[in-house]
């Protein structure tokens, strides 16, 4: 036997037959071999001619399995989830399981370098073909523009889905409170708009004769009547429960991947992980429907994160129209990056912010070509959404605001305070939410997802209805908080009695608080606390749930409160030094701006976004003037939050779920060497290898049955330990099988050669030789044992490799896999690697 | 002798002594050695203790030298330029030549991987120290926030410089036409503003009593008088000549690097090249002054590119305040990326566009941390500029426009036509300009820079004055072209006679052309052609010269002409199907928007910018509405231009000057292997190497004097050819010298060991052994000969390495340097590598 056990590479392999897969790699190997022939003049590739090679290897990311076969790093819920996914997938996801062979297996990691290599080969083949004939040229042109066609389609569909979801969710939200008598499918605004072309404002104050509150349908007329209140309350709670129940049932029955915001998974997938069905048709459909339901139910969640997921589903579906994207996981991810930009673009109507969000938060590999395409995709999506016009204004922006007053330098102090508030909120929220999700995984709680959703929905509805601010649709609340109070604005916190008096040179406004404002002073804080607490329990439920809107709501309330306080201070003490010159232009403080700054601060604290957050917020206001306050809040918030730990909520959930995510953003700052990380360790048996010209067919067959490694290094001889290349498990098994079947004279004792120097003359009695040079990968990435780990981590990140081999003075010493790197980073971060990454 | 000649690595080395350099690498080597001891139990590092190691090697990018010692890839002008730079540098650039030792020599390329490694070591050392004492903690905090302090300073100074340059250039521009009698230091606007608070508009039409045209000073009153015209003409030409002469003299005398836009050089430097003095104090000062002069002279150039250079100078100067940036070339480039964002930010008042420009066009290595800092820097710079307020409006934006009408779908056709126009203009302009610059290098033309500048200035002034549009300051012309015609707008092409008549349901406006518009119909095309032709000759002169403004002017004129034509068409034929519903909102076509789209198209064609261009243009209008037209124009323009060759003007100039720039954006799509690229080639003598334990001191000394290679691979033995590591020329020379001086018993016949296995017992009569393990770099990047070149190129780009070693079956086979890669790419592009890259 020419091999010994290799520790810690005991990854399982499902031994699926690889026949019928495309022969791209064969091409490469043949080319390699031809070159080898060319170099040295002769050679005997006895195998390469009749063989069928493999699409790619399926190097599993070395994850151990539970006894039931489910992959363990999906956390406690993985078993159920994965089973359901598989069930769904078989029935529906024909894009992924159809005629096109799977490059990689589910829950495996991809090899970026190799996929890109494959793409380059294809590209070259196409451009060679296209120069030959007119038809070829046409195909070549289509090949060139196909990416733009795909992003165009993705943009159109992402925009359309966003529009439909918006319209549906608004209608369902309003249905909880009443119904349009003549046309029940209209929401409150449309219903009343038809009637009297009224301004969008507070619902109670506008006479709308076609819209009936529920108690009116029950024959009650006086809203102050306790029976009317009770009827409305019950209808509200009942509708919320019904919608939530429907949502969770749909998710669990048809598309378990549709739950949550999806952003942690998207990040992981875009970093090169395979989760089949996550971007499938069913996920798209169910996530869209259930999002309407849960937003309608008034749960403390938003649809912004899930919209990114929906857009990525569109991206995945359309990517499959073009083979160069559909069949190449690395290239497909470029499409997904563009799609995620479109998702944020439609979520906020902020295309540039969307692109930057994709760049900053989501994407892993983001070449400039993709940047431009993402921008195109985001723009198209925003325009389609604007054409559908669910926000009901001209701006394609969700919370469009226009302020009339500038900000003053002294306001930097409250902005910094809001930043600190946002940072602290982010830390507290993230910790509580992650603790609760951890509890859900480890305790029995996770076994009753339907009950949990219903309980949260019940609590939300019961607690929200009495408070007018909580009762509002969260998006509407935020929009109201961002707005400046107009003269006829009748929402509670705008209930001032404004008068202006002129003394000597200045205008002194006064703004006496009226009952509405006084009530708001305790209703708003209560709404804020309620929102914060409910969101902790809501994010992580088995329904689609985004974080952006509830987090922004908390910050917006906090900011608005501070804005109101500052305004009152300025009005009460206009002679204070800091307010000098402030009232010259009539108005001094813009509480709406404070709300916006507060929203940016909490969002920054929770997600740790930076530039994309500022740009999204900037696109909401559309003026450069307010970028500085937003930037201050984001910076302070991030600094404060980072002091307690650098992970944003998405990274936290990635860790919690144990996804194998190698963060491209965080610099590896340690000084360990490759020697410290590679396996085998010093006390372990040496690395398992194959010699290039002394193994027999039987030995290799035993090797593949006795061990389950995916990569076998090939060396010159046991003495020299010089590396020749690597062979991959699947290719080896297949090649041996094919050789036994098709080549005469191949028996168990046949010598296998991974070199061109195969003895030419066959002595009678000695079995025929077998050359497997064609399956040898002659260009594995190698490093020396003295290489600093920071360089190694850089190579894994930037080159997108899965394993690299470690040599010392030209001798093969060990191997480092992506898992080894992840574990090493976790170890250095003083975390228990067993519990965090691979529990 | 244990070495043989190595071909094509005949790089010269100036043999500068490296003593006194910091010992970071010693630390690393010692650590490596300690680890080696740790691993195997014993070892005899007889050299490491008393030795001083080196900051870094100075691996030259293998460029051949002319006989006079100047480096040849700077093109025909390199000799003069470099000499002058050296002269300047010695006198002034103390930041770079002071106490801090030079990491790299001038015109060398840096090793990113190694610099980042060094940074990580320092970072670790600081964080270790800072945990010890309060003082250490304070220093640690400063270390952490220092980057923000630097970008703050860079932002402030970039904004301040931009403001000063703007004010100065406006004043000098106006001085050509007249003078403010009471206060000559005021420009026309300030002068007249003081008097009658007038609107900024066309100068001829506003009565401004304190501003005197030159002929008025000569006692002439009637502007129609031919003598008045002659006096004004002569003054205009004379002033232009004077300013141009002064500018070119200043540049040639004090800062030759101040010429041109600087962007090709900035791109090259940011990709890891050293050009000392390019960002020096003198360059900053002279470039600022001469930019005022040349813009004032009315040459066909802009100040936007040079402003990026000025901002980068600020970045470089302030980076030297903090050792972690000043002394680390790789980290310093992060600062320069941020500074270049600030440069574009102040050039257009577009901070987000500036960041994207830095990301898309300029930067090479751009981690997200840098993105956020760049944004901060760009914002600060924009705000400082706004505080200085040279544009005279509230928007901090150079060409702020607000349109009242939307665009209609049918307008996509003219926008696409503008895109095609822009693309074709880009191709023609780039070819002509590059041809002319090539001629300047190869012919005698380059020897008379002053004469050339004067001739171009003379031609520009003579031809511009008669045409009222050419006579205008180019920025003012563009601003006028972008604006919608107001009722009292009196500039020629707004000279309509507008009337509105109502028939049945629609408003039918009419706009009869008046004399001004009719004159504009031939003056504008003439101005466009003149601008285009002059720019071909201007960009490349020995004065600061940006391309943005003249290119935008050409496109803006073309777009405005098309807009006027479309408007007339719509007014003449309002019943055409495409114009249905167009006049419902009063106005149908916005010619100003066409001008903006045209400007974006020409700029896209010339520079091939994509997203950053659209965002810059978007920030000018401040509304999402017009992003789609801009995007269409940019996309079409880029596609059309790319059909004729992918290089933008900056890449063209990089190639022309032969800068060693490895474009990170262009994917390497070929299928060649490392074997095809490495040296030595098959017919050459084998690679020159050192054996790890058989060389003598004398042999190595001969090696360093007889050969001039920078990297010597160390192998186990001549038979096995197994790679141990590499030693660098400078370190080897120094180590041998030190050993001769400080270690007793080291003679010529002493054996040199690059391994820990140094024989312990010294036989009397046999010379003392010398261990040089401490200077061995045990972690060179290695690849196999079968590695696809696309992977190799990726490694060079993404890891930022300078050389990598090629092995076959564990034996060292050859070496690939960055130069080999560049030459290989050039060869594949069917270019003559000798003439293009290394002429």
């Amino acid at each position: 036997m020419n091999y010994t056990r290799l520790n810690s590479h005991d990854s399982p392999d499902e031994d699926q037959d690889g026949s019928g897969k495309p022969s791209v790699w064969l091409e490469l190997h043949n080319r390699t071999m031809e070159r080898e022939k060319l170099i040295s003049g002769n050679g005997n590739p006895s195998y390469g001619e009749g063989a069928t090679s493999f699409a790619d290897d399926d190097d599993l990311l070395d994850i151990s399995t539970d006894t039931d076969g489910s992959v363990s790093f999906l956390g406690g819920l993985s078993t159920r989830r994965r089973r359901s996914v598989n069930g769904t997938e078989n029935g529906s996801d024909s894009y992924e399981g159809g005629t096109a062979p799977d490059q990689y297996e589910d829950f495996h990691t991809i090899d970026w370098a190799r996929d890109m290599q494959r793409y380059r080969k294809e590209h070259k083949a196409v451009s060679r073909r296209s120069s030959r004939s007119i038809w070829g040229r046409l195909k070549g042109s289509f090949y060139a523009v196909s990416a733009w066609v795909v992003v165009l389609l993705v943009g159109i569909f992402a925009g359309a889905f966003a529009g439909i979801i918006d319209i549906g969710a608004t209608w369902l939200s309003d249905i909880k409170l009443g119904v349009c008598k003549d046309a029940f499918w209209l929401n409150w605004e449309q219903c009343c708009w038809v009637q009297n072309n009224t301004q969008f404002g507070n619902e109670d104050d506008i006479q709308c004769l076609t819209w009936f509150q529920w108690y009116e349908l029950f024959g009650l007329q006086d809203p102050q009547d306790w029976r009317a209140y009770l009827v409305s309350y019950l209808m509200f709670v009942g509708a919320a429960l019904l919608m939530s129940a429907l949502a969770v049932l749909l998710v669990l029955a048809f598309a378990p991947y549709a739950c949550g915001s999806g952003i942690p998974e998207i990040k992981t997938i875009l970093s090169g992980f395979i989760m089949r069905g996550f971007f499938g048709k069913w996920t798209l459909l169910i996530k869209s429907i259930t999002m309407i339901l849960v937003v309608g139910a008034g749960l403390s969640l938003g649809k912004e994160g899930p919209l990114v997921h929906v857009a990525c589903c569109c991206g995945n579906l359309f990517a499959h129209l073009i083979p160069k994207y559909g069949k190449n996981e690395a290239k497909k991810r470029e499409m997904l990056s563009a799609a995620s930009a479109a998702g944020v673009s439609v979520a906020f109507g902020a295309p540039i912010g969307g692109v930057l969000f994709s760049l900053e938060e989501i994407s892993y590999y983001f070449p400039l070509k993709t940047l431009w395409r993402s921008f195109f995709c985001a723009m198209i999506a925003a325009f389609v959404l604007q054409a559908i016009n669910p926000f009901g204004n001209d701006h394609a922006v969700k919370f469009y605001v226009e302020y009339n007053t500038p900000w003053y330098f002294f306001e930097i102090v409250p902005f910094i305070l809001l930043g600190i508030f946002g940072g602290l909120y982010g830390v507290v929220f993230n910790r509580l939410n992650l603790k609760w999700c951890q509890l859900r995984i480890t305790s029995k709680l996770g076994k009753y997802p339907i009950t949990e959703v219903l309980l949260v929905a019940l609590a939300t509805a019961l607690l929200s209805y009495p408070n007018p601010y909580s009762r509002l649709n969260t998006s509407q609340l935020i929009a109201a908080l961002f707005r400046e109070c107009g003269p006829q604005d009748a929402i509670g916190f705008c209930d001032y009695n404004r008068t202006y008096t002129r003394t000597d040179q200045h205008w002194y406004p006064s703004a006496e608080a009226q009952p509405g404002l006084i009530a708001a002073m305790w209703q708003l804080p209560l709404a804020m606390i309620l929102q914060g607490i409910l969101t902790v329990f809501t994010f992580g439920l088995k329904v689609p749930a985004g974080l952006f809107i509830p987090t922004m709501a908390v910050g917006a309330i906090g900011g608005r409160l501070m804005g109101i306080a500052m305004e009152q201070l300025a009005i009460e003490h206009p002679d204070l030094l800091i307010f000098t010159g402030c009232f010259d232009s009539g108005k001094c403080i813009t509480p709406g701006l404070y709300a916006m700054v507060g929203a940016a601060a909490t969002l920054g604290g929770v997600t740790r976004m930076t530039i994309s957050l500022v740009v999204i917020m900037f696109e909401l206001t559309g003026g450069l003037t307010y970028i500085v306050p937003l930037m201050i809040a984001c910076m302070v918030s991030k600094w404060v939050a980072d002091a307690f730990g650098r992970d944003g909520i998405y990274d936290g959930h990635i860790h919690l779920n144990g996804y194998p995510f190698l963060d491209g953003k965080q610099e590896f700052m340690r000084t360990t060497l490759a020697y410290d990380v590679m396996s085998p360790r010093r006390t372990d048996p040496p690395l398992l290898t194959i010699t290039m010209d002394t193994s027999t067919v039987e030995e290799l067959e035993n090797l593949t049955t006795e061990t389950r490694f995916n990569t076998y290094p090939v060396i010159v001889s046991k003495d020299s330990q010089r590396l020749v290349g690597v062979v991959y498990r699947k290719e080896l098994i297949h090649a041996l099988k094919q050789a036994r079947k098709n080549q005469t004279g191949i028996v168990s004792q046949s010598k296998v050669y991974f070199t061109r120097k195969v003895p030419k003359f066959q002595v009678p009695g000695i079995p025929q030789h077998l050359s497997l040079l064609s399956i040898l990968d002659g260009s594995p990435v190698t490093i020396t044992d003295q290489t600093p780990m920071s360089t190694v981590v850089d190579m894994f990140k930037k080159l997108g490799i899965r394993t690299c081999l470690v040599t010392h003075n030209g001798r093969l010493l060990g191997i480092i896999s992506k898992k080894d790197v992840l574990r090493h980073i976790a170890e250095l971060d003083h975390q228990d690697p067993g519990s965090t990454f691979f529990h």
Side-chain angles (χ1 to χ4, degrees), chain A:
Chain A
M1 288 290 279
N2 284 298
Y3 57 87
T4 46
R5 268 210 86 75
L6 171 78
N7 64 303
S8 86
H9 288 269
D10 42 0
S11 31
D13 195 330
E14 290 166 44
D15 275 8
Q16 294 181 1
D17 196 285
S19 61
K21 297 194 171 178
S23 56
V24 177
W25 275 100
L26 175 66
E27 227 180 300
L28 188 67
H29 284 303
N30 279 347
R31 195 180 141 72
T32 305
M33 213 167 50
E34 279 163 34
R35 184 164 300 275
E36 188 115 21
K37 263 197 280 182
L38 213 105
I39 291 166
S40 53
N42 66 354
N44 182 20
S46 63
Y47 179 79
E49 286 153 12
T52 312
S53 192
F54 305 80
D56 203 339
D57 70 314
D58 54 338
D59 201 351
L60 205 101
L61 188 81
D62 303 329
I63 36 175
S64 57
T65 47
D66 301 342
T67 44
D68 66 343
S70 74
V71 179
S72 62
F73 54 65
L74 276 180
L77 293 172
S78 63
T79 316
R80 186 185 311 116
R81 195 195 277 185
R82 199 188 172 197
R83 259 191 227 126
S84 322
V85 173
N86 286 345
T88 312
E89 191 189 324
N90 297 337
S92 64
D93 278 337
S94 59
Y95 278 111
E96 275 144 342
T99 48
D102 292 342
Q103 284 293 321
Y104 303 96
E105 282 174 37
D106 211 0
F107 303 109
H108 284 213
T109 192
I110 70 167
D111 189 330
W112 290 83
R114 201 178 255 215
D115 272 10
M116 290 312 291
Q117 191 59 32
R118 208 156 58 86
Y119 164 69
R120 287 185 192 113
K121 296 281 295 182
E122 270 170 34
H123 184 90
K124 180 139 197 197
V126 166
S127 52
R128 203 184 293 132
R129 268 202 305 278
S130 67
S131 59
R132 280 191 210 135
S133 67
I134 294 170
W135 176 237
R137 263 184 216 179
L138 269 179
K139 277 179 88 172
S141 322
F142 179 73
Y143 189 86
V145 300
S146 58
W148 290 97
V149 176
V150 172
V151 288
L152 179 72
L153 289 172
V154 172
I156 291 171
F157 275 75
F161 268 97
I164 293 165
I165 290 167
D166 254 321
I167 290 168
T170 314
W171 176 65
L172 274 191
S173 271
D174 290 345
I175 280 290
K176 281 187 314 201
L177 296 167
V179 69
C180 194
K181 211 179 182 183
D182 301 331
F184 72 92
W185 58 86
L186 292 181
N187 64 28
W188 177 86
E189 194 190 355
Q190 291 160 334
C191 184
C192 299
W193 187 272
V194 172
Q195 185 209 342
N196 59 0
N197 222 353
T198 179
Q199 259 249 312
F200 186 68
N202 193 13
E203 7 208 299
D204 294 332
D205 288 60
I206 290 162
Q207 291 302 317
C208 178
L209 299 175
T210 48
W211 181 265
F212 280 66
Q213 307 275 349
W214 287 116
Y215 61 84
E216 295 178 274
L217 285 189
F218 284 82
L220 299 162
Q221 292 305 325
D222 181 14
Q224 306 299 332
D225 186 351
W226 68 269
R227 286 171 302 176
Y229 192 87
L230 190 69
V231 166
S232 293
Y233 202 163
L234 288 179
M235 283 303 292
F236 186 89
V237 174
L241 279 178
L242 195 71
M243 295 179 207
S244 311
L246 194 56
V248 69
L249 288 173
L250 280 174
V251 165
L252 291 178
F254 295 107
Y257 276 151
C259 71
S261 82
I263 290 182
E265 288 82 8
I266 294 172
K267 280 183 81 167
T268 311
I269 290 173
L270 258 64
S271 83
F273 193 59
I274 305 273
M275 282 172 87
R276 284 202 203 293
F278 193 81
F279 294 136
K281 277 196 302 246
W282 279 98
T283 308
L284 172 61
L285 193 67
I286 296 299
K287 190 142 196 171
S288 305
I289 294 171
T290 51
M291 222 190 317
I292 295 174
L293 288 169
V294 289
V295 173
L299 288 177
S300 180
L301 43 78
K303 52 190 182 300
E304 282 58 35
L307 271 180
V308 176
H309 188 177
V310 164
C312 283
C313 290
C314 295
N316 184 52
L317 292 178
F318 287 110
H320 280 281
L321 294 182
I322 314 284
K324 84 169 159 174
Y325 292 101
K327 290 184 183 166
N328 191 317
E329 291 289 343
K331 291 296 285 181
K332 197 204 279 175
R333 275 154 181 75
E334 291 182 14
M335 273 306 138
L336 295 178
S337 290
S340 65
V344 178
S345 166
V346 290
F348 293 102
I352 302 173
V355 173
L356 289 173
F357 180 78
S358 177
L359 174 69
E360 182 185 11
E361 189 63 33
I362 296 187
S363 297
Y364 192 76
Y365 170 72
F366 207 70
L368 277 168
K369 231 198 301 188
T370 311
L371 193 69
W372 182 219
R373 263 187 223 138
S374 302
F375 186 53
F376 179 75
C377 192
M379 279 304 311
I380 296 292
F383 257 80
V384 171
L385 183 65
Q386 196 182 9
I388 300 174
N389 195 17
F391 305 142
N393 63 27
D394 285 343
H395 293 285
V397 163
K398 188 146 196 162
F399 307 111
Y400 185 82
V401 276
E402 219 160 354
Y403 301 128
N404 307 318
T405 34
W407 59 279
Y408 297 92
F409 202 71
F410 71 86
E411 293 187 279
I412 282 182
V413 177
F415 295 148
I416 289 175
L417 291 177
L418 283 177
I420 294 171
F421 164 71
L424 292 177
Y425 172 76
V427 171
V428 172
F429 174 82
N430 287 4
R431 295 227 170 140
L432 291 177
N433 181 256
L434 288 170
K435 276 264 161 61
W436 182 250
C437 290
Q438 179 91 52
L439 190 72
R440 194 180 284 130
I441 290 171
T442 51
S443 77
K444 280 186 184 172
L445 183 65
K447 293 190 180 154
Y448 308 103
I450 301 173
T451 321
E452 197 192 349
V453 169
L454 288 179
L455 282 177
V456 172
L458 183 68
T460 307
L462 280 178
L463 294 172
S464 295
Y465 190 82
N467 189 329
Y469 298 107
S470 302
R471 195 194 306 169
L472 268 182
N473 180 329
T474 319
S475 301
Q476 288 169 1
L477 173 65
I478 295 172
L481 290 165
F482 281 6
R483 262 203 312 274
E484 272 193 277
C485 288
Q488 70 281 71
D489 228 332
I491 200 160
F493 53 75
C494 284
D495 197 5
Y496 289 103
N497 186 9
R498 282 188 191 282
T499 53
Y500 289 87
T501 45
R502 191 182 164 84
T503 60
D504 32 309
Q505 307 100 336
H506 295 295
W507 283 101
Y508 285 109
S510 87
E512 205 183 323
Q514 298 293 303
L517 183 62
I518 291 164
M521 282 302 102
W522 60 267
Q523 285 168 338
L524 277 179
L526 272 185
M528 178 169 80
I529 293 164
L530 183 66
Q531 185 94 53
I533 293 172
L534 285 174
T535 312
V536 167
F537 297 103
T538 309
F539 190 69
L541 288 182
K542 293 267 150 273
V543 289
L547 259 181
F548 277 45
I549 290 290
T551 307
M552 281 172 78
V554 170
I557 296 174
R560 186 85 194 198
L561 287 172
M562 176 166 274
I564 291 170
M566 282 297 294
E567 193 180 26
Q568 290 295 329
L569 183 71
I571 285 168
E572 293 296 313
H573 304 284
D575 300 318
L576 278 184
L577 191 63
I578 52 167
F579 297 124
T580 311
C582 179
F583 285 103
D584 289 354
S585 58
K587 208 153 178 286
C588 183
I589 306 279
T590 312
L593 176 62
Y594 283 72
M596 185 169 262
V597 170
T602 45
L603 211 46
V606 170
T607 63
R608 311 293 161 83
M609 287 155 63
T610 56
I611 184 169
S612 52
L613 179 57
V614 175
V615 172
I616 287 173
M617 289 305 212
F618 152 73
E619 286 188 79
L620 302 189
T621 57
L624 276 179
T625 325
Y626 304 103
I627 255 192
V628 169
L630 293 169
M631 207 153 147
I632 290 168
C634 287
M635 281 172 72
V636 172
S637 157
K638 190 176 157 62
W639 282 340
V640 168
D642 278 356
F644 295 89
R646 299 193 75 85
D647 278 352
I649 186 76
Y650 299 127
D651 297 310
H653 276 266
I654 286 173
H655 286 310
L656 187 73
N657 289 314
Y659 296 133
F661 180 69
L662 183 57
D663 196 346
K665 269 174 283 176
Q666 286 188 346
E667 275 185 89
F668 183 86
M669 298 299 290
R670 311 303 178 112
T671 48
T672 47
L673 299 183
Y675 185 88
D676 307 325
V677 181
M678 71 171 194
S679 49
R681 312 291 321 133
R682 210 187 319 173
T683 51
D684 298 329
L687 190 70
L688 184 143
T689 51
I690 300 173
T691 51
M692 73 173 181
D693 52 6
T694 58
S695 314
T696 63
V697 170
E698 190 180 26
E699 280 174 358
L700 291 186
E701 281 171 349
N702 290 342
L703 179 70
T704 55
T705 49
E706 286 169 16
T707 65
R708 305 227 137 243
F709 311 142
N710 292 288
T711 313
Y712 301 102
V714 177
I715 54 174
V716 172
S717 68
K718 295 219 72 179
D719 288 339
S720 78
Q721 291 279 339
R722 291 198 329 237
L723 182 69
V724 175
V726 293
V727 287
Y728 301 104
R729 175 185 183 71
K730 258 198 177 173
E731 301 187 22
L732 182 60
I733 292 172
H734 182 80
L736 292 171
K737 218 179 258 172
Q738 289 292 106
R740 286 256 196 192
K741 211 164 101 189
N742 302 335
Q743 263 182 285
T744 52
I746 299 294
V747 294
S748 299
Q749 294 310 311
S750 292
K751 277 250 169 73
V752 179
Y753 286 86
F754 292 97
T755 165
R756 53 186 170 69
K757 289 183 197 136
V758 182
K760 275 209 167 167
F761 299 103
Q762 297 284 337
V763 183
I766 289 180
Q768 181 91 22
H769 297 317
L770 173 62
S771 167
L772 289 187
L773 187 59
S774 61
I775 63 163
L776 179 78
D777 177 3
S779 60
V781 175
T782 56
I783 52 169
T784 68
D785 58 341
Q786 296 300 308
T787 309
M789 268 313 285
S790 53
T791 307
V792 180
V793 171
D794 255 17
M795 289 171 97
F796 272 90
K797 277 184 201 165
K798 294 182 180 167
L799 303 178
I801 52 176
R802 277 189 297 184
T803 50
C804 74
L805 298 165
V806 184
T807 61
H808 177 77
N809 287 9
R811 289 166 183 272
L812 181 64
L813 208 66
I815 194 165
I816 296 179
S817 69
K818 200 172 173 182
K819 172 196 154 198
D820 295 327
V821 174
L822 285 168
R823 181 187 283 141
H824 180 66
I825 292 173
E827 272 172 7
L828 289 181
D829 290 351
H830 300 293
Q831 295 166 339
D832 181 4
S835 76
T836 312
F837 271 82
F838 311 97
H839 52 199

